[in-house]
């Protein structure tokens, strides 16, 4: 299902939950996933399914893998940063999110970002592999010593160890799919093979996470017409503003806005 801003993507998901519950499914049969914790929280507040059945893919894998220690969280991050700074490797340090009061220097976090990009896009880029080789050896050793995983490990190990989606849903629904990485799409395809229904929702023209390897190409892949839904009317904008915005986007985004 594809819909520009304000066309009711979340409402469509909510309506499908209500419809399918009326056809014999229960709220426990659904798992809903969105891209970020904030988006998942928004979805959780608007759809009548158990709150633990609405989460990011990272959170679902975290739960399915037994809640392992995460290397980027506060204590372990501080330990790693102390080691990295001691070696004079500012680019190896890990900021909290993207801004960290403790590490303000330009360049902090670059190597982990590069290493994650190499992994989330299929470990296929030889330049990224070479660029991050020294960092990767130290980082993997650190995680082994601390018996922890990083956020990308959750997805990679989830792909290997979690054949089906945690919660064993009958229906898997994924929102904001325009910004899924290839690794995340692999996980969706794998889990989707073990459920009865899959709903994928997003807007190709809103893709903004290309810098982490994400893109809307999978969202635009051809599917049978009967499985495709386009929400074309915006309830957030006057029709004139919507038409102007679509024409303007069409000049810059091509097929992404004409899907």
């Amino acid at each position: 299902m594809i819909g520009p801003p304000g066309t009711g993507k979340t409402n469509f998901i909510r309506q499908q939950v209500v419809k399918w519950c009326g056809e014999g499914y229960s709220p426990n049969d659904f798992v809903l996933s969105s891209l970020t914790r904030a988006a998942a929280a928004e979805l959780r507040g608007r759809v009548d399914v158990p709150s633990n059945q609405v989460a990011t893919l990272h959170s679902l894998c975290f739960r399915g893998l037994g809640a392992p220690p995460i290397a980027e969280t506060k204590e372990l991050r501080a330990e790693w940063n102390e080691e990295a700074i001691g070696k004079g490797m500012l680019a190896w340090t890990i900021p909290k999110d993207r801004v960290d009061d403790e590490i303000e220097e330009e360049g902090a976090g670059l190597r982990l970002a590069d290493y994650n990009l190499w992994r989330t896009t299929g470990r296929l880029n030889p330049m990224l592999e070479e660029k991050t080789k020294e960092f990767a050896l130290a980082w993997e050793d650190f995680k082994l010593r601390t018996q922890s995983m990083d956020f990308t490990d959750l997805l990679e190990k989830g792909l290997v160890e979690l054949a089906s989606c945690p919660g064993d849903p009958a229906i898997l629904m994924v929102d904001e799919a325009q910004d899924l990485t290839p690794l995340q799409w692999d996980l969706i395809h794998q889990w989707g093979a073990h459920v009865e229904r899959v709903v994928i929702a997003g807007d190709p023209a809103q893709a903004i996470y290309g810098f982490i390897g994400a893109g809307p190409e999978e969202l635009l892949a051809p599917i049978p017409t009967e499985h495709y839904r386009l929400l074309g009317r915006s309830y957030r904008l006057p029709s004139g503003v919507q038409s102007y915005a679509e024409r303007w986007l069409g000049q810059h985004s091509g097929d992404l806005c004409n899907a």
Side-chain angles (χ1 to χ4, degrees):
M1 183 269 291
I2 291 176
T7 53
K9 292 189 293 297
T10 303
N11 189 53
F12 175 84
I13 289 173
R14 184 188 63 78
Q15 290 175 341
Q16 286 302 119
V17 171
V18 172
K19 177 177 182 292
W20 286 331
C21 282
E23 295 175 358
Y25 290 101
S26 81
N28 289 313
D29 288 325
F30 294 81
V31 161
L32 283 66
S33 179
S34 195
L35 188 69
T36 65
R37 285 180 294 178
E42 170 72 13
L43 196 58
R44 191 179 298 118
R46 297 176 62 181
V47 181
D48 188 19
V49 301
S51 61
N52 65 341
Q53 300 284 94
V54 185
T56 65
L57 291 177
H58 287 87
S59 294
L60 290 168
C61 288
F62 177 75
R63 186 189 315 160
L65 294 169
I70 300 300
E72 294 100 329
T73 51
K74 186 176 180 180
E75 291 79 9
L76 290 177
R77 185 179 73 245
E79 182 179 341
W80 167 261
N81 285 344
E82 184 177 355
E83 292 183 14
I85 291 172
K87 296 175 182 177
M89 299 292 191
L90 178 64
W92 288 19
T93 56
I94 304 171
K96 178 182 179 182
D97 296 323
R98 297 198 180 103
V99 178
D100 193 322
D101 293 337
E102 299 172 5
I103 304 172
E104 296 180 345
E105 292 91 341
E106 184 177 353
L110 289 179
R111 284 301 164 267
L112 181 59
D114 289 337
Y115 186 45
N116 285 337
L117 179 61
W118 177 64
R119 298 155 73 196
T120 59
T121 52
R123 297 175 176 257
L124 300 175
N125 187 319
M127 289 187 293
L128 279 176
E129 181 180 12
E130 182 62 30
K131 184 179 182 181
T132 59
K133 184 181 295 184
E134 186 179 359
F135 167 85
L137 288 172
W139 180 237
E140 294 299 330
D141 177 68
F142 175 78
K143 290 187 294 179
L144 183 63
R145 284 189 281 117
T146 56
Q147 292 295 289
S148 62
M149 295 184 189
D150 63 27
F151 290 119
T152 303
D153 284 328
L154 294 176
L155 302 179
E156 289 191 315
K157 292 183 184 296
L159 192 60
V160 173
E161 300 181 20
L162 304 174
S164 59
C165 179
D168 293 320
I171 299 174
L172 176 62
M173 309 179 88
V174 182
D175 198 9
E176 305 292 351
Q178 74 276 355
D179 280 316
L180 295 178
T181 65
L183 178 57
Q184 289 171 316
W185 276 110
D186 287 344
L187 202 58
I188 293 299
H189 288 310
Q190 178 166 293
W191 290 355
H194 295 272
V195 300
E196 297 173 19
R197 299 175 186 265
V198 180
V199 176
I200 305 293
D203 177 12
Q206 292 189 68
I208 59 173
Y209 283 94
F211 61 91
I212 62 169
E217 290 77 16
E218 287 258 14
L219 187 60
L220 294 170
I223 60 173
T225 304
E226 63 269 24
H227 296 303
Y228 178 85
R229 179 68 63 90
L230 175 63
L231 305 179
R233 178 186 174 187
S234 176
Y235 296 92
R236 189 179 302 163
L237 300 173
S239 59
V241 175
Q242 180 183 354
S243 297
Y244 181 89
E246 289 174 351
R247 290 196 304 272
W248 186 85
L249 282 169
Q251 299 176 43
H252 304 280
S253 304
D255 293 339
L256 297 185
C257 299
N258 301 311

